[in-house]
Amino acid sequence: RSSPLYSSAASDVYKRQSYWRVIWCYNRASFSPITRVTGSLMNEEQALGKLTTRTLAMPADTNAAGDIFGGWVLSQMDIAAGICAGQRAQGRVVTVSVDSMSFIRPVHVGDILGLYTSVAELGRTSMVINVEAWVRRDRIGLREKVTQGRFKFVAIDENGVPSQLPPESELPDYVLENF
């Protein structure tokens, strides 16, 4: 018998990523072979930045083609970048621009979307945050980079007026660990 895991997802993983180590075993209930991806070797690309948010792509977030809508991914990236920028500013921040955005691969229903952020540039009141979006296919499978972007934020006070970023010496330890 053919198992959906064996016939599609697992063979695709093996074909696309030959460096993945694969273990064959049998599903006791159906006696059909299944593949378990157990890890990767040293040449796997690594995410840049710190894992800031993680969420599950759901059917309500799909476009007409059945893939996760790019606007949903963009909004998740903006949320993660806002968390990073708010921690660095130690206060309220607003998104002023998305300087670049590259959609590399589609996100599918059931993928876990992990967003990694890092501060790329600092100004007096503004900062640029790099964001990389990675997925874990079908919650347990192949890990792939799907999107990257650069978001510009400005720190503001309670009246919405731009405010100066605090010096690095005044930041708490948990913020300094990320930079």
Side-chain angles (χ1 to χ4, degrees), residues 20 44 110-114 134-144:
W20 282 77
E44 182 179 355
D111 290 348
I112 294 175
L113 182 71
W134 289 70
V135 296
R136 178 71 64 186
R137 296 291 181 195
D138 295 318
R139 298 185 309 272
I140 58 171
L142 178 67
R143 184 174 173 268
E144 294 183 300

Side-chain angles (χ1 to χ4, degrees), residues 7-45:
S7 63
S8 61
S11 62
D12 288 346
V13 167
Y14 188 74
K15 287 176 192 171
R16 287 182 291 173
Q17 304 290 338
S18 61
Y19 54 84
W20 282 77
R21 194 174 23 180
V22 177
I23 295 175
W24 290 93
C25 59
Y26 284 87
N27 180 339
R28 292 178 189 227
S30 66
F31 297 101
S32 60
I34 60 173
T35 302
R36 295 179 194 257
V37 178
T38 61
S40 64
L41 300 178
M42 291 171 46
N43 62 350
E44 182 179 355
E45 185 181 2

Side-chain angles (χ1 to χ4, degrees), residues 49-50 52 81-90 117-122 127-130 165-168 171-179:
K50 181 178 182 306
T52 306
I83 291 169
C84 179
Q87 288 179 344
R88 177 57 185 89
Q90 290 294 288
T117 60
S118 60
V119 177
E121 299 172 23
L122 288 174
M127 67 194 91
V128 175
I129 308 296
N130 284 334
L165 295 172
E168 199 171 298
L171 296 175
D173 289 341
Y174 79 92
V175 175
L176 294 173
E177 292 171 1
N178 299 335
F179 304 107

